[in-house]
Amino acid sequence: MLGTAVAGGAGIAALRVVVYPRLDELIHGASTLTGGRADWISPLGAETAKVAHLLRRTTFGATLDDFERAASDGYARTVDRLLESTPAPAPPLAGANEGRLNIAALQQWWVDHMLSTPTPFAERMTLFWHGHFTSDYRKVGAQFPFMHWQNLTWRDMALTDLRSMLMRVTTDPAMLRYLDLGTSTGQSPNENYSRELLELFTLGVGNYTEDDVRAGARALAGWTEPRPTGSVQVVVDAKNNVTRAQPVFDSPVTGVFTPNRAYRGGPLTFLRKTDTYDTQKVIDRILAQPAAAPFMARKVVQHFVSARVDDAYVRRLGDRFRASRYDVKTLLREVFRSPEFTADQSYRALIKSPVEFMVHTLKALNAPQLSRLVVQSAASMGQVLFDPPDVGGWPNNDAWISSNNVVARVNFISAALGQLQTPPSGADAARHLDTVLSPTTASLLNQAADDHSRWLLALAAPEFQLK
């Protein structure tokens, strides 16, 4: 249907109507790749296919030059290079520490860096932690640069160790505000952060009690938001006809521990151990729990390997993660070198999130100048940067696919192609589908009348939505 519409010169509005039912059907039909329902066969027995598979999962999709370099290096060396490359720092965000934070500019800044960074795996991990240790600008606010700082922290800490990261998470100014730890005191503890630290960040439901939540809240109390340390900027608000003094931060800082706000009631029983707890002891006690390592391993597997998680695989990864003192590089190396990661059933078993899809689309089209379109289109697909739906973060995989947001994906492709005067050669389009096509996709591509049509078909195909 889509091929006929393109060949017949139908308008974009018609394409939006005819494409999504078949696309939605094919994506869901391809979710079980070993059950005979998929229209393609896994090529992961070949080294180059493994490399392409790795890059789809770890780099927002690679350019053709990136793929050729990685294919020349081979799979094992590419894994090492991804893990051992120092994350390229993000460029300065204009006015980030001066006055009110512009959220649209912040989103644009990150998308631009995703498209241009020489270390895209670091950005994938920054996005992973943004979805795991969530905060959103709506509650944190934009009067201070806390959301920007948090993004810098996730990138800086992305491939370190979980213990150090949990300490930074706990004292992060945006997190202090988002989950109310910054207003918690020993006499009047707020339980929000303690609960999510145990339930969503480290252990999971069933591995702690309500008494543990209360004890953790008391032990963690005393942290407050940082105070501005720089000059005061005069801001003129012409709309409301007022002039106000806006405090300015000299540079990113962490929260401040205020002893007279902390708990002074003596020993607490937390996760079955009685002690005089401070923040570091709380984190150490959490990481001593048998559930901690497999909890994090499962989250990584669901994000990078498969939505269907094998418990024995998770236990094996968790054991190695714990033995490494919770070194994140060790966990990821174990994942990427595991036979499960490159098994046939892992091929195209995950669905790209909207951000992954949009960034890969612009990479494929060699069109980083269209990055503003990513920010403009994010809400229609359900993934707005710095604005996750709740403290649980964004969903994964099948949750991204519905009639509405599949249409939004096709609209994004149409808009991107519409803003390009001359798209790249259509001969390159199929290469971004790993050259492994279903008969339907192959037939439609063969019918495409020009480069524009060929790119529209390739980028809208189920093969491109999957990774």
PDB file of all heavy atoms in Angstrom, residues 6 64 361-370 413-429 432 448-459:
ATOM      1  N   VAL A   6       3.470   5.877  -2.926  1.00  0.00           N
ATOM      2  CA  VAL A   6       4.660   6.631  -3.315  1.00  0.00           C
ATOM      3  C   VAL A   6       4.798   6.659  -4.828  1.00  0.00           C
ATOM      4  O   VAL A   6       5.022   7.704  -5.440  1.00  0.00           O
ATOM      5  CB  VAL A   6       5.923   6.019  -2.662  1.00  0.00           C
ATOM      6  CG1 VAL A   6       7.172   6.701  -3.209  1.00  0.00           C
ATOM      7  CG2 VAL A   6       5.870   6.202  -1.155  1.00  0.00           C
ATOM      8  N   LEU A  64      27.687   5.361   8.166  1.00  0.00           N
ATOM      9  CA  LEU A  64      28.367   4.338   7.374  1.00  0.00           C
ATOM     10  C   LEU A  64      29.869   4.342   7.640  1.00  0.00           C
ATOM     11  O   LEU A  64      30.511   3.291   7.671  1.00  0.00           O
ATOM     12  CB  LEU A  64      28.074   4.553   5.886  1.00  0.00           C
ATOM     13  CG  LEU A  64      26.590   4.433   5.492  1.00  0.00           C
ATOM     14  CD1 LEU A  64      26.427   4.628   3.990  1.00  0.00           C
ATOM     15  CD2 LEU A  64      26.008   3.091   5.916  1.00  0.00           C
ATOM     16  N   THR A 361      17.811   8.576  12.639  1.00  0.00           N
ATOM     17  CA  THR A 361      17.288   9.066  11.364  1.00  0.00           C
ATOM     18  C   THR A 361      18.135  10.214  10.829  1.00  0.00           C
ATOM     19  O   THR A 361      18.518  10.235   9.650  1.00  0.00           O
ATOM     20  CB  THR A 361      15.829   9.529  11.533  1.00  0.00           C
ATOM     21  OG1 THR A 361      15.006   8.398  11.851  1.00  0.00           O
ATOM     22  CG2 THR A 361      15.299  10.171  10.252  1.00  0.00           C
ATOM     23  N   LEU A 362      18.445  11.178  11.695  1.00  0.00           N
ATOM     24  CA  LEU A 362      19.246  12.320  11.242  1.00  0.00           C
ATOM     25  C   LEU A 362      20.676  11.913  10.924  1.00  0.00           C
ATOM     26  O   LEU A 362      21.302  12.475  10.014  1.00  0.00           O
ATOM     27  CB  LEU A 362      19.220  13.434  12.287  1.00  0.00           C
ATOM     28  CG  LEU A 362      17.843  14.070  12.554  1.00  0.00           C
ATOM     29  CD1 LEU A 362      17.998  15.314  13.405  1.00  0.00           C
ATOM     30  CD2 LEU A 362      17.112  14.392  11.251  1.00  0.00           C
ATOM     31  N   LYS A 363      21.207  10.930  11.653  1.00  0.00           N
ATOM     32  CA  LYS A 363      22.535  10.415  11.309  1.00  0.00           C
ATOM     33  C   LYS A 363      22.505   9.747   9.929  1.00  0.00           C
ATOM     34  O   LYS A 363      23.406   9.939   9.108  1.00  0.00           O
ATOM     35  CB  LYS A 363      23.010   9.413  12.355  1.00  0.00           C
ATOM     36  CG  LYS A 363      23.584  10.042  13.618  1.00  0.00           C
ATOM     37  CD  LYS A 363      24.235   8.964  14.470  1.00  0.00           C
ATOM     38  CE  LYS A 363      25.003   9.543  15.627  1.00  0.00           C
ATOM     39  NZ  LYS A 363      25.754   8.504  16.370  1.00  0.00           N
ATOM     40  N   ALA A 364      21.480   8.951   9.684  1.00  0.00           N
ATOM     41  CA  ALA A 364      21.379   8.256   8.404  1.00  0.00           C
ATOM     42  C   ALA A 364      21.273   9.247   7.248  1.00  0.00           C
ATOM     43  O   ALA A 364      21.851   9.043   6.185  1.00  0.00           O
ATOM     44  CB  ALA A 364      20.184   7.308   8.408  1.00  0.00           C
ATOM     45  N   LEU A 365      20.536  10.334   7.484  1.00  0.00           N
ATOM     46  CA  LEU A 365      20.345  11.343   6.442  1.00  0.00           C
ATOM     47  C   LEU A 365      21.478  12.360   6.396  1.00  0.00           C
ATOM     48  O   LEU A 365      21.453  13.273   5.566  1.00  0.00           O
ATOM     49  CB  LEU A 365      19.016  12.077   6.669  1.00  0.00           C
ATOM     50  CG  LEU A 365      17.741  11.249   6.494  1.00  0.00           C
ATOM     51  CD1 LEU A 365      16.522  12.042   6.933  1.00  0.00           C
ATOM     52  CD2 LEU A 365      17.598  10.775   5.052  1.00  0.00           C
ATOM     53  N   ASN A 366      22.455  12.209   7.319  1.00  0.00           N
ATOM     54  CA  ASN A 366      23.550  13.183   7.415  1.00  0.00           C
ATOM     55  C   ASN A 366      22.988  14.595   7.542  1.00  0.00           C
ATOM     56  O   ASN A 366      23.400  15.524   6.831  1.00  0.00           O
ATOM     57  CB  ASN A 366      24.488  13.080   6.206  1.00  0.00           C
ATOM     58  CG  ASN A 366      25.780  13.852   6.408  1.00  0.00           C
ATOM     59  OD1 ASN A 366      26.224  14.065   7.539  1.00  0.00           O
ATOM     60  ND2 ASN A 366      26.378  14.295   5.308  1.00  0.00           N
ATOM     61  N   ALA A 367      22.053  14.761   8.475  1.00  0.00           N
ATOM     62  CA  ALA A 367      21.339  16.033   8.606  1.00  0.00           C
ATOM     63  C   ALA A 367      21.318  16.529  10.051  1.00  0.00           C
ATOM     64  O   ALA A 367      20.254  16.756  10.630  1.00  0.00           O
ATOM     65  CB  ALA A 367      19.914  15.869   8.084  1.00  0.00           C
ATOM     66  N   PRO A 368      22.493  16.731  10.682  1.00  0.00           N
ATOM     67  CA  PRO A 368      22.487  17.228  12.064  1.00  0.00           C
ATOM     68  C   PRO A 368      21.876  18.610  12.188  1.00  0.00           C
ATOM     69  O   PRO A 368      21.445  19.009  13.290  1.00  0.00           O
ATOM     70  CB  PRO A 368      23.975  17.236  12.436  1.00  0.00           C
ATOM     71  CG  PRO A 368      24.701  17.348  11.125  1.00  0.00           C
ATOM     72  CD  PRO A 368      23.860  16.562  10.149  1.00  0.00           C
ATOM     73  N   GLN A 369      21.813  19.355  11.089  1.00  0.00           N
ATOM     74  CA  GLN A 369      21.236  20.696  11.132  1.00  0.00           C
ATOM     75  C   GLN A 369      19.737  20.675  11.422  1.00  0.00           C
ATOM     76  O   GLN A 369      19.145  21.725  11.723  1.00  0.00           O
ATOM     77  CB  GLN A 369      21.504  21.432   9.813  1.00  0.00           C
ATOM     78  CG  GLN A 369      20.706  20.925   8.614  1.00  0.00           C
ATOM     79  CD  GLN A 369      21.344  19.739   7.906  1.00  0.00           C
ATOM     80  OE1 GLN A 369      22.229  19.075   8.458  1.00  0.00           O
ATOM     81  NE2 GLN A 369      20.912  19.486   6.678  1.00  0.00           N
ATOM     82  N   LEU A 370      19.130  19.496  11.366  1.00  0.00           N
ATOM     83  CA  LEU A 370      17.691  19.374  11.631  1.00  0.00           C
ATOM     84  C   LEU A 370      17.415  18.973  13.076  1.00  0.00           C
ATOM     85  O   LEU A 370      16.316  18.518  13.399  1.00  0.00           O
ATOM     86  CB  LEU A 370      17.059  18.351  10.681  1.00  0.00           C
ATOM     87  CG  LEU A 370      17.210  18.625   9.190  1.00  0.00           C
ATOM     88  CD1 LEU A 370      16.463  17.573   8.384  1.00  0.00           C
ATOM     89  CD2 LEU A 370      16.724  20.020   8.824  1.00  0.00           C
ATOM     90  N   ILE A 413       9.856  11.494   9.866  1.00  0.00           N
ATOM     91  CA  ILE A 413      10.635  11.197   8.663  1.00  0.00           C
ATOM     92  C   ILE A 413      10.214  12.128   7.524  1.00  0.00           C
ATOM     93  O   ILE A 413      11.053  12.704   6.814  1.00  0.00           O
ATOM     94  CB  ILE A 413      10.443   9.735   8.243  1.00  0.00           C
ATOM     95  CG1 ILE A 413      10.884   8.781   9.354  1.00  0.00           C
ATOM     96  CG2 ILE A 413      11.212   9.434   6.957  1.00  0.00           C
ATOM     97  CD1 ILE A 413      10.393   7.359   9.169  1.00  0.00           C
ATOM     98  N   SER A 414       8.902  12.283   7.345  1.00  0.00           N
ATOM     99  CA  SER A 414       8.401  13.141   6.274  1.00  0.00           C
ATOM    100  C   SER A 414       8.881  14.569   6.452  1.00  0.00           C
ATOM    101  O   SER A 414       9.284  15.231   5.483  1.00  0.00           O
ATOM    102  CB  SER A 414       6.869  13.104   6.251  1.00  0.00           C
ATOM    103  OG  SER A 414       6.396  11.795   6.023  1.00  0.00           O
ATOM    104  N   ALA A 415       8.830  15.064   7.702  1.00  0.00           N
ATOM    105  CA  ALA A 415       9.269  16.431   7.967  1.00  0.00           C
ATOM    106  C   ALA A 415      10.760  16.592   7.709  1.00  0.00           C
ATOM    107  O   ALA A 415      11.196  17.596   7.128  1.00  0.00           O
ATOM    108  CB  ALA A 415       8.937  16.815   9.413  1.00  0.00           C
ATOM    109  N   ALA A 416      11.557  15.611   8.132  1.00  0.00           N
ATOM    110  CA  ALA A 416      13.002  15.687   7.919  1.00  0.00           C
ATOM    111  C   ALA A 416      13.328  15.691   6.421  1.00  0.00           C
ATOM    112  O   ALA A 416      14.122  16.511   5.943  1.00  0.00           O
ATOM    113  CB  ALA A 416      13.707  14.529   8.616  1.00  0.00           C
ATOM    114  N   LEU A 417      12.714  14.787   5.672  1.00  0.00           N
ATOM    115  CA  LEU A 417      12.966  14.737   4.233  1.00  0.00           C
ATOM    116  C   LEU A 417      12.462  16.000   3.539  1.00  0.00           C
ATOM    117  O   LEU A 417      13.072  16.491   2.590  1.00  0.00           O
ATOM    118  CB  LEU A 417      12.301  13.502   3.623  1.00  0.00           C
ATOM    119  CG  LEU A 417      12.955  12.163   3.966  1.00  0.00           C
ATOM    120  CD1 LEU A 417      12.055  11.007   3.538  1.00  0.00           C
ATOM    121  CD2 LEU A 417      14.328  12.033   3.317  1.00  0.00           C
ATOM    122  N   GLY A 418      11.354  16.541   4.061  1.00  0.00           N
ATOM    123  CA  GLY A 418      10.810  17.756   3.475  1.00  0.00           C
ATOM    124  C   GLY A 418      11.711  18.959   3.660  1.00  0.00           C
ATOM    125  O   GLY A 418      11.679  19.898   2.855  1.00  0.00           O
ATOM    126  N   GLN A 419      12.513  18.952   4.728  1.00  0.00           N
ATOM    127  CA  GLN A 419      13.411  20.077   4.986  1.00  0.00           C
ATOM    128  C   GLN A 419      14.763  19.921   4.297  1.00  0.00           C
ATOM    129  O   GLN A 419      15.572  20.854   4.309  1.00  0.00           O
ATOM    130  CB  GLN A 419      13.607  20.252   6.498  1.00  0.00           C
ATOM    131  CG  GLN A 419      12.349  20.719   7.224  1.00  0.00           C
ATOM    132  CD  GLN A 419      12.590  20.963   8.698  1.00  0.00           C
ATOM    133  OE1 GLN A 419      13.659  21.411   9.107  1.00  0.00           O
ATOM    134  NE2 GLN A 419      11.579  20.678   9.518  1.00  0.00           N
ATOM    135  N   LEU A 420      15.017  18.751   3.724  1.00  0.00           N
ATOM    136  CA  LEU A 420      16.259  18.531   2.987  1.00  0.00           C
ATOM    137  C   LEU A 420      16.025  18.827   1.511  1.00  0.00           C
ATOM    138  O   LEU A 420      15.139  18.235   0.883  1.00  0.00           O
ATOM    139  CB  LEU A 420      16.735  17.085   3.142  1.00  0.00           C
ATOM    140  CG  LEU A 420      17.299  16.668   4.502  1.00  0.00           C
ATOM    141  CD1 LEU A 420      17.658  15.186   4.470  1.00  0.00           C
ATOM    142  CD2 LEU A 420      18.530  17.488   4.868  1.00  0.00           C
ATOM    143  N   GLN A 421      16.795  19.728   0.965  1.00  0.00           N
ATOM    144  CA  GLN A 421      16.652  20.001  -0.466  1.00  0.00           C
ATOM    145  C   GLN A 421      17.027  18.783  -1.296  1.00  0.00           C
ATOM    146  O   GLN A 421      16.362  18.443  -2.275  1.00  0.00           O
ATOM    147  CB  GLN A 421      17.529  21.194  -0.850  1.00  0.00           C
ATOM    148  CG  GLN A 421      17.043  22.525  -0.291  1.00  0.00           C
ATOM    149  CD  GLN A 421      17.864  23.694  -0.807  1.00  0.00           C
ATOM    150  OE1 GLN A 421      18.933  23.522  -1.376  1.00  0.00           O
ATOM    151  NE2 GLN A 421      17.338  24.892  -0.590  1.00  0.00           N
ATOM    152  N   THR A 422      18.123  18.128  -0.884  1.00  0.00           N
ATOM    153  CA  THR A 422      18.575  16.945  -1.615  1.00  0.00           C
ATOM    154  C   THR A 422      18.938  15.866  -0.612  1.00  0.00           C
ATOM    155  O   THR A 422      19.922  16.010   0.130  1.00  0.00           O
ATOM    156  CB  THR A 422      19.806  17.257  -2.489  1.00  0.00           C
ATOM    157  OG1 THR A 422      19.497  18.350  -3.358  1.00  0.00           O
ATOM    158  CG2 THR A 422      20.198  16.032  -3.309  1.00  0.00           C
ATOM    159  N   PRO A 423      18.169  14.778  -0.502  1.00  0.00           N
ATOM    160  CA  PRO A 423      18.537  13.702   0.418  1.00  0.00           C
ATOM    161  C   PRO A 423      19.761  12.961  -0.081  1.00  0.00           C
ATOM    162  O   PRO A 423      20.128  13.078  -1.259  1.00  0.00           O
ATOM    163  CB  PRO A 423      17.302  12.800   0.410  1.00  0.00           C
ATOM    164  CG  PRO A 423      16.673  13.040  -0.921  1.00  0.00           C
ATOM    165  CD  PRO A 423      16.939  14.484  -1.257  1.00  0.00           C
ATOM    166  N   PRO A 424      20.428  12.214   0.780  1.00  0.00           N
ATOM    167  CA  PRO A 424      21.559  11.396   0.324  1.00  0.00           C
ATOM    168  C   PRO A 424      21.102  10.393  -0.733  1.00  0.00           C
ATOM    169  O   PRO A 424      19.903  10.177  -0.938  1.00  0.00           O
ATOM    170  CB  PRO A 424      22.018  10.687   1.613  1.00  0.00           C
ATOM    171  CG  PRO A 424      21.444  11.469   2.735  1.00  0.00           C
ATOM    172  CD  PRO A 424      20.171  12.062   2.215  1.00  0.00           C
ATOM    173  N   SER A 425      22.053   9.766  -1.351  1.00  0.00           N
ATOM    174  CA  SER A 425      21.731   8.771  -2.364  1.00  0.00           C
ATOM    175  C   SER A 425      20.852   7.671  -1.774  1.00  0.00           C
ATOM    176  O   SER A 425      21.150   7.122  -0.715  1.00  0.00           O
ATOM    177  CB  SER A 425      23.014   8.161  -2.927  1.00  0.00           C
ATOM    178  OG  SER A 425      22.717   7.033  -3.725  1.00  0.00           O
ATOM    179  N   GLY A 426      19.775   7.364  -2.460  1.00  0.00           N
ATOM    180  CA  GLY A 426      18.884   6.313  -1.997  1.00  0.00           C
ATOM    181  C   GLY A 426      19.533   4.950  -1.968  1.00  0.00           C
ATOM    182  O   GLY A 426      19.043   4.027  -1.310  1.00  0.00           O
ATOM    183  N   ALA A 427      20.660   4.811  -2.640  1.00  0.00           N
ATOM    184  CA  ALA A 427      21.367   3.528  -2.636  1.00  0.00           C
ATOM    185  C   ALA A 427      21.881   3.182  -1.248  1.00  0.00           C
ATOM    186  O   ALA A 427      22.126   2.004  -0.946  1.00  0.00           O
ATOM    187  CB  ALA A 427      22.521   3.569  -3.630  1.00  0.00           C
ATOM    188  N   ASP A 428      22.077   4.192  -0.393  1.00  0.00           N
ATOM    189  CA  ASP A 428      22.576   3.942   0.965  1.00  0.00           C
ATOM    190  C   ASP A 428      21.472   3.580   1.957  1.00  0.00           C
ATOM    191  O   ASP A 428      21.759   3.161   3.077  1.00  0.00           O
ATOM    192  CB  ASP A 428      23.309   5.180   1.497  1.00  0.00           C
ATOM    193  CG  ASP A 428      24.626   5.426   0.785  1.00  0.00           C
ATOM    194  OD1 ASP A 428      25.189   4.452   0.250  1.00  0.00           O
ATOM    195  OD2 ASP A 428      25.077   6.585   0.769  1.00  0.00           O
ATOM    196  N   ALA A 429      20.219   3.770   1.571  1.00  0.00           N
ATOM    197  CA  ALA A 429      19.129   3.615   2.526  1.00  0.00           C
ATOM    198  C   ALA A 429      19.059   2.207   3.110  1.00  0.00           C
ATOM    199  O   ALA A 429      18.940   2.028   4.328  1.00  0.00           O
ATOM    200  CB  ALA A 429      17.801   3.975   1.861  1.00  0.00           C
ATOM    201  N   HIS A 432      21.237   1.016   6.091  1.00  0.00           N
ATOM    202  CA  HIS A 432      20.838   1.330   7.463  1.00  0.00           C
ATOM    203  C   HIS A 432      19.802   0.343   7.989  1.00  0.00           C
ATOM    204  O   HIS A 432      19.384   0.432   9.142  1.00  0.00           O
ATOM    205  CB  HIS A 432      20.314   2.767   7.542  1.00  0.00           C
ATOM    206  CG  HIS A 432      21.399   3.789   7.424  1.00  0.00           C
ATOM    207  ND1 HIS A 432      22.170   4.179   8.491  1.00  0.00           N
ATOM    208  CD2 HIS A 432      21.871   4.475   6.352  1.00  0.00           C
ATOM    209  CE1 HIS A 432      23.062   5.073   8.094  1.00  0.00           C
ATOM    210  NE2 HIS A 432      22.898   5.274   6.802  1.00  0.00           N
ATOM    211  N   ALA A 448      10.337   1.971  -5.298  1.00  0.00           N
ATOM    212  CA  ALA A 448      10.500   3.396  -5.006  1.00  0.00           C
ATOM    213  C   ALA A 448      10.929   4.152  -6.253  1.00  0.00           C
ATOM    214  O   ALA A 448      11.829   3.731  -6.983  1.00  0.00           O
ATOM    215  CB  ALA A 448      11.519   3.582  -3.892  1.00  0.00           C
ATOM    216  N   ALA A 449      10.290   5.307  -6.468  1.00  0.00           N
ATOM    217  CA  ALA A 449      10.515   6.046  -7.703  1.00  0.00           C
ATOM    218  C   ALA A 449      11.738   6.938  -7.658  1.00  0.00           C
ATOM    219  O   ALA A 449      12.303   7.272  -8.705  1.00  0.00           O
ATOM    220  CB  ALA A 449       9.269   6.898  -8.005  1.00  0.00           C
ATOM    221  N   ASP A 450      12.180   7.369  -6.460  1.00  0.00           N
ATOM    222  CA  ASP A 450      13.300   8.304  -6.374  1.00  0.00           C
ATOM    223  C   ASP A 450      13.952   8.184  -5.003  1.00  0.00           C
ATOM    224  O   ASP A 450      13.509   7.401  -4.151  1.00  0.00           O
ATOM    225  CB  ASP A 450      12.839   9.742  -6.629  1.00  0.00           C
ATOM    226  CG  ASP A 450      11.662  10.140  -5.744  1.00  0.00           C
ATOM    227  OD1 ASP A 450      11.592   9.673  -4.579  1.00  0.00           O
ATOM    228  OD2 ASP A 450      10.809  10.925  -6.204  1.00  0.00           O
ATOM    229  N   ASP A 451      15.033   8.955  -4.781  1.00  0.00           N
ATOM    230  CA  ASP A 451      15.760   8.889  -3.518  1.00  0.00           C
ATOM    231  C   ASP A 451      14.867   9.264  -2.339  1.00  0.00           C
ATOM    232  O   ASP A 451      14.929   8.639  -1.262  1.00  0.00           O
ATOM    233  CB  ASP A 451      16.968   9.828  -3.560  1.00  0.00           C
ATOM    234  CG  ASP A 451      18.099   9.287  -4.425  1.00  0.00           C
ATOM    235  OD1 ASP A 451      18.068   8.078  -4.739  1.00  0.00           O
ATOM    236  OD2 ASP A 451      18.996  10.071  -4.774  1.00  0.00           O
ATOM    237  N   HIS A 452      14.047  10.288  -2.489  1.00  0.00           N
ATOM    238  CA  HIS A 452      13.154  10.722  -1.412  1.00  0.00           C
ATOM    239  C   HIS A 452      12.247   9.577  -0.987  1.00  0.00           C
ATOM    240  O   HIS A 452      12.106   9.276   0.209  1.00  0.00           O
ATOM    241  CB  HIS A 452      12.338  11.923  -1.900  1.00  0.00           C
ATOM    242  CG  HIS A 452      11.458  12.532  -0.850  1.00  0.00           C
ATOM    243  ND1 HIS A 452      10.291  11.936  -0.422  1.00  0.00           N
ATOM    244  CD2 HIS A 452      11.590  13.686  -0.132  1.00  0.00           C
ATOM    245  CE1 HIS A 452       9.716  12.702   0.495  1.00  0.00           C
ATOM    246  NE2 HIS A 452      10.480  13.764   0.702  1.00  0.00           N
ATOM    247  N   SER A 453      11.622   8.921  -1.943  1.00  0.00           N
ATOM    248  CA  SER A 453      10.709   7.818  -1.647  1.00  0.00           C
ATOM    249  C   SER A 453      11.445   6.645  -1.011  1.00  0.00           C
ATOM    250  O   SER A 453      10.934   5.997  -0.091  1.00  0.00           O
ATOM    251  CB  SER A 453      10.011   7.355  -2.928  1.00  0.00           C
ATOM    252  OG  SER A 453       9.306   8.412  -3.531  1.00  0.00           O
ATOM    253  N   ARG A 454      12.651   6.379  -1.499  1.00  0.00           N
ATOM    254  CA  ARG A 454      13.415   5.246  -0.981  1.00  0.00           C
ATOM    255  C   ARG A 454      13.779   5.467   0.483  1.00  0.00           C
ATOM    256  O   ARG A 454      13.688   4.553   1.303  1.00  0.00           O
ATOM    257  CB  ARG A 454      14.671   5.043  -1.830  1.00  0.00           C
ATOM    258  CG  ARG A 454      15.372   3.710  -1.594  1.00  0.00           C
ATOM    259  CD  ARG A 454      16.465   3.483  -2.629  1.00  0.00           C
ATOM    260  NE  ARG A 454      17.101   2.186  -2.441  1.00  0.00           N
ATOM    261  CZ  ARG A 454      16.639   1.042  -2.913  1.00  0.00           C
ATOM    262  NH1 ARG A 454      15.520   1.043  -3.623  1.00  0.00           N
ATOM    263  NH2 ARG A 454      17.276  -0.102  -2.701  1.00  0.00           N
ATOM    264  N   TRP A 455      14.189   6.697   0.825  1.00  0.00           N
ATOM    265  CA  TRP A 455      14.511   6.989   2.218  1.00  0.00           C
ATOM    266  C   TRP A 455      13.266   6.937   3.106  1.00  0.00           C
ATOM    267  O   TRP A 455      13.306   6.434   4.226  1.00  0.00           O
ATOM    268  CB  TRP A 455      15.177   8.366   2.336  1.00  0.00           C
ATOM    269  CG  TRP A 455      16.645   8.324   2.075  1.00  0.00           C
ATOM    270  CD1 TRP A 455      17.306   8.795   0.976  1.00  0.00           C
ATOM    271  CD2 TRP A 455      17.646   7.757   2.929  1.00  0.00           C
ATOM    272  NE1 TRP A 455      18.649   8.561   1.079  1.00  0.00           N
ATOM    273  CE2 TRP A 455      18.890   7.928   2.269  1.00  0.00           C
ATOM    274  CE3 TRP A 455      17.621   7.123   4.166  1.00  0.00           C
ATOM    275  CZ2 TRP A 455      20.096   7.495   2.825  1.00  0.00           C
ATOM    276  CZ3 TRP A 455      18.814   6.688   4.724  1.00  0.00           C
ATOM    277  CH2 TRP A 455      20.031   6.866   4.068  1.00  0.00           C
ATOM    278  N   LEU A 456      12.156   7.455   2.614  1.00  0.00           N
ATOM    279  CA  LEU A 456      10.919   7.407   3.398  1.00  0.00           C
ATOM    280  C   LEU A 456      10.552   5.966   3.718  1.00  0.00           C
ATOM    281  O   LEU A 456      10.225   5.627   4.862  1.00  0.00           O
ATOM    282  CB  LEU A 456       9.788   8.082   2.628  1.00  0.00           C
ATOM    283  CG  LEU A 456       8.404   8.029   3.281  1.00  0.00           C
ATOM    284  CD1 LEU A 456       8.409   8.752   4.617  1.00  0.00           C
ATOM    285  CD2 LEU A 456       7.344   8.628   2.359  1.00  0.00           C
ATOM    286  N   LEU A 457      10.634   5.093   2.715  1.00  0.00           N
ATOM    287  CA  LEU A 457      10.294   3.687   2.917  1.00  0.00           C
ATOM    288  C   LEU A 457      11.268   3.008   3.874  1.00  0.00           C
ATOM    289  O   LEU A 457      10.865   2.263   4.770  1.00  0.00           O
ATOM    290  CB  LEU A 457      10.293   2.960   1.571  1.00  0.00           C
ATOM    291  CG  LEU A 457       9.114   3.266   0.649  1.00  0.00           C
ATOM    292  CD1 LEU A 457       9.445   2.894  -0.781  1.00  0.00           C
ATOM    293  CD2 LEU A 457       7.876   2.503   1.133  1.00  0.00           C
ATOM    294  N   ALA A 458      12.565   3.266   3.701  1.00  0.00           N
ATOM    295  CA  ALA A 458      13.563   2.604   4.539  1.00  0.00           C
ATOM    296  C   ALA A 458      13.444   3.026   5.994  1.00  0.00           C
ATOM    297  O   ALA A 458      13.477   2.194   6.903  1.00  0.00           O
ATOM    298  CB  ALA A 458      14.965   2.905   4.015  1.00  0.00           C
ATOM    299  N   LEU A 459      13.290   4.322   6.237  1.00  0.00           N
ATOM    300  CA  LEU A 459      13.257   4.824   7.605  1.00  0.00           C
ATOM    301  C   LEU A 459      11.935   4.508   8.310  1.00  0.00           C
ATOM    302  O   LEU A 459      11.869   4.461   9.547  1.00  0.00           O
ATOM    303  CB  LEU A 459      13.516   6.332   7.619  1.00  0.00           C
ATOM    304  CG  LEU A 459      14.897   6.752   7.094  1.00  0.00           C
ATOM    305  CD1 LEU A 459      14.997   8.276   7.013  1.00  0.00           C
ATOM    306  CD2 LEU A 459      16.019   6.185   7.945  1.00  0.00           C
TER     307      LEU A 459
END
